Amino acid sequence: MPVDLILILYKRGILNDLDLYFARLMSRLSFNYIDKGCAQIAGCKCNQQLKEELELAAALASNVTSQGGVCINLRQWVIEWKEKYVTDTAYFPPPPIDEWLETLYSSSVVGYPGQWKPLILDHKSRLYMYRYWRYEAQLSEDLLERAKAKVDHIDKQKLQSDLNWLFPRSPQLIGPDWQKVAAAVAVLKKICVISGGPGTGKTSTVLRILVLLSGQILGGRRLRIALAAPTGKAAIRLQQLIRAAKPVLSLSVDQAAQIPEQVLTLHRLLGGQPDSVYFRYDRDNPLPFDVLVIDEVSMVGLALMAKTIRALPPDAHLILLGDKEQLASVEAGSVLGDICAGAGQFSPDFHVQLTHLTGELLPFPGQKACSSLADTVVFLQYSFRFSATSGIGSLSKAVNLGQTAKAIALLTQSQYSDIECGLLSEHSNLSDQLEEQIITGFSPYLRALQKNTGALEVLEKFERFRVLCAMHHGSFGVLSLNRICEALLRKRGLLINSTLLWYVGRPVMIMCNDYNLKLFNGDVGITLLDPTDQGRVQVFFLDGDGNPRGVPPSRLPEHETAYAMTIHKSQGSEFDSVLVLTSKEPSPLLSRELIYTALTRARHKIILYYEPSVFELSIGRQLRCSSGLRDKLWAPNQILDNF
């Protein structure tokens, strides 16, 4: 019986309390509309089967959003449940799928796409909570409309000249200059999606795009440009990269002035309201910008992306940057992955146009574009950071391609100086095993502490090294590794007043947003003596302009010690070197995307401790976010929203 199946799922920790409450709410709402006389009939389908099967479906639809999905494919879920648990002694069969779908459609709380019902069930057996279906529908509609929009008044002769000036042919390149191609696409289209791994030049490309747009689109009128990122940490990093890259372009004073250096979080850009899911800017009150650049789009969930695009004026240019191979957002949805899913070939007409403007020999075009998005997505393929002799580059590529044997060989052959690895030992020996790597990694930051060089330098030195964990709990998780790091540094006498909770040098990470203090989830600060009062400490964070500002420890929102952090939390950051610990036991959290993200956080050196069998399973496991966005974007003519 489905009701027993719900209890089994709950007892096994698959469903949570919120899922059960939501299921019961849907059941109560549905039965408020059931014919009272019908409900009195013993064995009535309305009174029994509908209640049980509706509650199971509603609980699953609620639960999937907490797992990063947008909807639950009921047909696929039934198949997977049977395959996984058919041999279980406590096995309870799921409802026959066709009967289940028919039963759900008979409920007053389940509707077709386009109807206003709490739950939406589409023709591919995907069940959504209404608001997620609406976000998905709005985002796909807005992206496709923007991709189809024409850009008028382009001086193509000037564009061709400026492209050649800004993108001189590099002798290192083999094949097309995809940065140059991406820049041309960004000028010719209202939306441009640029995906590439670390060191492929996404930031330098977008700077050149802004120079092109300032001269092309508005005939010299000053562009209103906004730069944004999903987190405060990612915003600060993009800001630093832009400030470092601008002098390299040898721009005129006026051209340099066009490019802003301030980067906002998306919540700040949209005008986030405390304790509210609504923003100041929306379709009725659009953002006052001509160009919006969003970095680290892989970290942006469906709801936030839908609200951002809806708030952008139709005539504005949208440029999305990110690495589609990284972990998706912790919020529901894998927007960047879905946007890039069907890309790879330009339409024939646009291929001719790009070839003429850029002078690049592009791969043969597709016969027919299945979506207007096909002409808006560009993949940067050449890494200027990781050369052919780079171990990190070779290992991350092998992981990304699912080449398990090659990845293991790269780890065990010790042919690269930028890769160091070891096997995970038991927890009792872990401290001794990691001692030298941890002391060496944190030495620059500790020396800066001892010399009292100031908050800015201490924060900069701390960002050179980090311990990354796959888990938050457990022997090899963040909480355990933070305790190990503190104990090792204390044993070496490297911490000041380390018996105190707020000792000088304690790093902390903010775990939730605080708009009043302008501190956001993922922000990292260091505890230092207050310059104005040496008798107390403050926790110093970098503000929006890259300057340190102190906050009393008592005012901090939820936080934790941050020598170690989860790989998820490390997204948007890069370090000179990282120490990565996976797990000795298989876990649903371990995946190809997780390993790839961890490896690519390191600029110069990766130190990896792993269990070979678990590592192999992780590389073989790809995350699949349950979503209908990919279909809506890449097969829009096949989506039958009206039955």
Side-chain angles (χ1 to χ4, degrees):
M1 295 292 290
V3 66
D4 294 321
L5 188 52
I6 289 179
L7 294 178
I8 291 293
L9 293 171
Y10 179 71
K11 290 177 180 178
R12 292 184 179 182
I14 298 173
L15 298 178
N16 56 42
D17 290 341
L18 181 61
D19 302 329
L20 294 188
Y21 288 134
F22 179 74
R24 291 166 184 165
L25 173 62
M26 291 299 99
S27 179
R28 288 198 300 272
L29 290 176
S30 180
F31 276 78
N32 283 340
Y33 294 95
I34 291 179
D35 180 81
K36 300 300 182 182
C38 178
Q40 300 299 319
I41 301 175
C44 173
K45 179 178 180 179
C46 295
N47 197 37
Q48 294 181 11
Q49 184 176 349
L50 174 59
K51 180 177 185 298
E52 295 171 355
E53 296 185 2
L54 173 62
E55 287 188 356
L56 175 60
L60 292 172
S62 169
N63 180 260
V64 74
T65 61
S66 65
Q67 306 302 316
V70 174
C71 56
I72 181 72
N73 188 315
L74 296 177
R75 189 176 298 275
Q76 185 65 32
W77 184 85
V78 167
I79 293 172
E80 292 176 355
W81 175 264
K82 289 180 178 179
E83 290 177 348
K84 191 171 183 180
Y85 294 108
V86 70
T87 59
D88 197 313
T89 55
Y91 174 71
F92 285 86
I97 184 60
D98 292 327
E99 295 180 15
W100 193 9
L101 297 176
E102 182 182 352
T103 301
L104 292 176
Y105 279 128
S106 69
S107 168
S108 60
V109 296
V110 179
Y112 300 111
Q115 291 185 306
W116 193 31
K117 297 290 183 69
L119 295 169
I120 301 296
L121 181 60
D122 74 5
H123 75 290
K124 287 195 172 182
S125 309
R126 290 181 295 226
L127 183 68
Y128 297 78
M129 296 172 70
Y130 175 81
R131 67 189 182 106
Y132 286 104
W133 174 84
R134 187 60 185 157
Y135 287 142
E136 190 175 273
Q138 285 181 351
L139 180 58
S140 60
E141 177 186 333
D142 290 345
L143 288 173
L144 291 172
E145 284 184 2
R146 196 172 290 275
K148 294 174 185 176
K150 293 184 178 180
V151 179
D152 299 320
H153 311 299
I154 297 295
D155 185 341
K156 294 185 178 178
Q157 186 175 355
K158 185 177 188 304
L159 174 58
Q160 188 176 40
S161 175
D162 288 347
L163 283 169
N164 291 332
W165 160 55
L166 288 166
F167 296 91
R169 182 71 184 183
S170 170
Q172 304 176 55
L173 285 179
I174 299 175
D177 184 345
W178 289 108
Q179 291 187 11
K180 188 176 185 180
V181 174
V185 171
V187 175
L188 296 171
K189 295 289 184 179
K190 290 292 185 184
I191 176 174
C192 179
V193 184
I194 304 174
S195 177
T200 51
K202 296 186 292 292
T203 303
S204 61
T205 301
V206 84
L207 284 177
R208 290 169 171 82
I209 289 172
L210 297 180
V211 174
L212 288 171
L213 287 172
S214 65
Q216 281 289 327
I217 304 303
L218 299 176
R221 180 172 72 82
R222 187 172 293 276
L223 280 174
R224 297 172 298 172
I225 301 171
L227 306 175
T231 66
K233 179 173 53 180
I236 290 173
R237 178 173 167 270
L238 177 60
Q239 188 167 279
Q240 292 169 339
L241 290 174
I242 287 174
R243 288 177 176 175
K246 279 176 71 173
V248 178
L249 293 182
S250 302
L251 303 175
S252 68
V253 174
D254 185 60
Q255 287 172 330
Q258 287 269 20
I259 302 174
E261 294 185 354
Q262 184 182 33
V263 183
L264 306 174
T265 63
L266 285 173
H267 284 83
R268 186 177 174 190
L269 172 80
L270 295 173
Q273 308 297 316
D275 304 317
S276 173
V277 298
Y278 298 103
F279 294 98
R280 175 186 174 190
Y281 293 103
D282 53 23
R283 177 55 62 90
D284 298 325
N285 181 34
L287 291 162
F289 299 112
D290 303 305
V291 182
L292 172 60
V293 178
I294 306 177
D295 194 19
E296 298 289 354
V297 176
S298 63
M299 299 170 64
V300 184
L302 174 68
L304 184 56
M305 182 59 78
K307 293 175 183 180
T308 302
I309 307 305
R310 183 129 290 213
L312 189 64
D315 290 337
H317 281 256
L318 174 65
I319 302 169
L320 304 178
L321 309 175
D323 184 352
K324 67 182 180 67
E325 308 298 345
Q326 278 191 195
L327 284 164
S329 165
V330 293
E331 304 296 333
S334 57
V335 175
L336 183 61
D338 289 339
I339 291 175
C340 295
Q345 289 184 314
F346 298 118
S347 64
D349 290 343
F350 196 59
H351 180 276
V352 172
Q353 189 176 10
L354 284 177
T355 301
H356 174 71
L357 284 172
T358 64
E360 299 295 322
L361 186 61
L362 303 178
F364 193 76
Q367 293 299 314
K368 183 179 180 182
C370 61
S371 169
S372 55
L373 276 177
D375 290 337
T376 69
V377 182
V378 181
F379 301 126
L380 303 185
Q381 300 172 19
Y382 183 82
S383 176
F384 295 90
R385 177 182 303 167
F386 301 132
S387 67
T389 60
S390 165
I392 297 175
S394 300
L395 180 58
S396 60
K397 183 177 181 180
V399 169
N400 188 29
L401 295 175
Q403 297 172 341
T404 305
K406 183 177 180 180
I408 294 293
L410 288 169
L411 290 173
T412 56
Q413 290 173 2
S414 303
Q415 64 187 88
Y416 295 105
S417 60
D418 57 349
I419 297 178
E420 182 181 328
C421 66
L423 301 181
L424 287 171
S425 65
E426 296 304 321
H427 183 254
S428 58
N429 300 321
L430 191 60
S431 179
D432 294 337
Q433 189 177 18
L434 303 180
E435 182 170 359
E436 290 308 315
Q437 288 94 336
I438 288 173
I439 298 299
T440 301
F442 287 121
S443 287
Y445 130 80
L446 293 168
R447 285 196 295 268
L449 271 179
Q450 293 166 353
K451 293 178 181 178
N452 195 22
T453 56
L456 186 60
E457 184 173 344
V458 171
L459 285 164
E460 187 274 326
K461 295 287 178 64
F462 184 72
E463 290 301 306
R464 295 185 181 182
F465 173 77
R466 199 62 48 86
V467 180
L468 303 182
C469 304
M471 316 290 182
H472 195 266
H473 300 279
S475 299
F476 307 102
V478 168
L479 298 180
S480 177
L481 265 295
N482 273 318
R483 287 193 293 268
I484 288 174
C485 288
E486 280 187 325
L488 289 174
L489 298 178
R490 187 180 296 116
K491 185 177 75 171
R492 292 285 188 99
L494 298 173
L495 297 179
I496 304 170
N497 296 327
S498 62
T499 56
L500 302 175
L501 173 62
W502 290 103
Y503 57 84
V504 172
R506 182 192 177 195
V508 296
M509 173 180 284
I510 301 301
M511 306 303 290
C512 63
N513 296 335
D514 187 319
Y515 292 97
N516 294 321
L517 287 176
K518 296 181 180 179
L519 291 175
F520 302 97
N521 190 353
D523 287 353
V524 173
I526 303 289
T527 308
L528 299 170
L529 291 173
D530 186 342
T532 62
D533 184 353
Q534 293 293 306
R536 63 176 184 173
V537 296
Q538 288 196 324
V539 184
F540 286 83
F541 300 84
L542 292 180
D543 63 17
D545 295 320
N547 299 314
R549 67 181 181 94
V551 179
S554 59
R555 296 193 62 195
L556 291 181
E558 183 184 351
H559 57 273
E560 63 181 33
T561 304
Y563 294 105
M565 61 197 298
T566 62
I567 297 169
H568 275 88
K569 288 286 188 182
S570 73
Q571 286 184 271
S573 298
E574 289 180 353
F575 311 96
D576 288 348
S577 60
V578 295
L579 169 60
V580 180
L581 294 95
T582 55
S583 172
K584 285 183 70 68
E585 301 294 335
S587 167
L589 293 176
L590 295 171
S591 66
R592 181 182 303 177
E593 292 85 354
L594 187 85
I595 302 299
Y596 172 83
T597 301
L599 297 175
T600 53
R601 296 312 90 201
R603 298 188 189 96
H604 306 307
K605 187 169 185 177
I606 181 81
I607 307 166
L608 176 65
Y609 280 85
Y610 69 107
E611 172 66 35
S613 60
V614 175
F615 189 74
E616 290 180 18
L617 288 173
S618 302
I619 297 176
R621 181 174 183 267
Q622 285 187 279
L623 296 177
R624 287 287 182 261
C625 174
S626 180
S627 163
L629 182 61
R630 185 172 303 194
D631 283 350
K632 289 182 172 66
L633 293 176
W634 292 102
N637 297 327
Q638 300 176 26
I639 301 300
L640 307 175
D641 279 350
N642 296 314
F643 292 74

